[in-house]
């Protein structure tokens, strides 16, 4: 299995060398090369990669801040001429850190670490899913992959699910932050029980968690107002009619 890579460096010669090294490693596949973090961000809005080789010192947006800004960052190898960034690089869970100028042997070492990290992740996926698929509704449980981990989620505890491009935010009762996973709305909708309903192209809600319905909004709590999309109004109104008491 090849590892899709994104190469980022604002220096043309450094970027050219990075691309050449990627081409010399059989299990690496160059997905794109970018001369700025902003260009890389634009690429990632429409595509995904397994790993990023990223320079740190770049104008407008440096590589460290770029990686920190990604909701679900791929594996990262930082490249830079300044050794003082090494500690900070590993704080953002970088797989490796290449100090310029680096040779093919150093690059190969970083590539091998990438492969080892991905192989270990795949092995843990297999062990967890030998009897259950990564996403399963057995016993009201889902297993969702996030940040190179697989976490168990109790389906009744899901408040609502928010779609954002190819990722989902799964909001859980009692948790301040959502679980972010690479998954489609359609895929998760197929596995949820019938007390979940899609009310908008970007929202699936747990009907048991609704506090109030106000005009074209569903109120989940004092801070969460979710819109009801035109395509979903009829089915949601039908549900309300089955539960409504009064004149």
């Amino acid at each position: 299995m090849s590892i899709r890579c994104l190469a980022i460096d604002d220096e043309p010669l450094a970027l050219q060398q990075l691309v050449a090294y990627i081409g010399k490693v059989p299990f690496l596949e160059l997905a794109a090369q970018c001369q700025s973090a902003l260009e890389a961000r634009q690429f990632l809005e429409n595509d995904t990669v397994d790993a990023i080789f990223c320079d740190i010192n770049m104008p407008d947006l440096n590589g460290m801040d770029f990686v920190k800004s990604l909701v679900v960052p791929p594996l990262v190898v930082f490249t830079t001429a300044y050794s003082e960034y090494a500690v900070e690089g590993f704080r953002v869970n970088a797989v490796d850190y290449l100090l310029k100028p680096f040779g093919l042997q150093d690059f190969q070492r970083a590539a091998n670490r990438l492969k080892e990290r991905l192989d270990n992740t795949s092995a843990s996926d297999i062990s967890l899913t030998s009897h259950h698929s990564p996403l399963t509704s057995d016993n009201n449980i889902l297993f969702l992959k996030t940040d190179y981990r697989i976490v168990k989620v109790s389906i009744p505890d899901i408040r609502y699910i928010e779609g954002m491009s190819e990722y989902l935010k799964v909001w859980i009762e009692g948790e301040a932050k959502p679980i972010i996973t690479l998954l489609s709305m359609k895929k998760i909708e197929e596995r949820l029980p019938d007390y979940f309903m899609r009310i908008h192209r970007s929202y699936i809600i747990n009907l048991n968690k609704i506090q109030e319905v106000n005009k074209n909004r569903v109120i989940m709590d004092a801070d969460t107002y979710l819109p009801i999309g035109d395509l979903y109004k009829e089915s949601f109104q039908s549900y309300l009619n089955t539960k409504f008491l009064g004149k």
Side-chain angles (χ1 to χ4, degrees), residues 41-134:
R41 178 184 285 172
Q42 187 174 9
F43 172 81
L44 290 175
E45 287 177 356
N46 301 301
D47 208 337
T48 59
V49 295
D50 302 306
I52 296 175
F53 290 90
C54 184
D55 185 31
I56 293 178
N57 289 286
M58 293 186 289
D60 298 324
L61 179 64
N62 72 49
M64 196 75 66
D65 290 337
F66 164 64
V67 171
K68 289 177 181 177
S69 73
L70 298 176
V71 177
V72 183
L75 296 179
V76 179
V77 173
F78 283 118
T79 66
T80 185
Y82 301 94
S83 59
E84 64 267 23
Y85 284 110
V87 173
E88 189 178 356
F90 287 113
R91 282 178 184 162
V92 297
N93 202 28
V95 173
D96 207 348
Y97 174 93
L98 291 170
L99 185 63
K100 297 178 180 179
F102 53 87
L104 180 58
Q105 186 175 355
D106 292 327
F107 182 85
Q108 180 74 62
R109 182 199 70 224
N112 289 339
R113 287 183 176 176
L114 277 177
K115 187 174 186 299
E116 182 180 355
R117 180 79 69 87
L118 284 172
D119 286 347
N120 288 340
T121 301
S122 298
S124 65
D125 288 356
I126 292 171
S127 66
L128 273 170
T129 61
S130 57
H131 300 292
H132 298 279
S133 63

Side-chain angles (χ1 to χ4, degrees), residues 155-189:
I155 295 176
D157 290 339
I158 297 174
R159 297 175 58 240
Y160 66 97
I161 298 164
E162 180 181 357
M164 47 176 204
S165 187
E166 70 268 34
Y167 294 97
L168 299 179
K169 288 183 178 180
V170 182
W171 294 87
I172 307 296
E173 190 76 41
E175 299 292 335
K177 295 183 178 181
I179 295 170
I180 299 174
T181 185
L182 179 61
L183 199 64
S184 69
M185 292 285 276
K186 181 180 179 182
K187 186 70 174 179
I188 200 167
E189 192 174 15

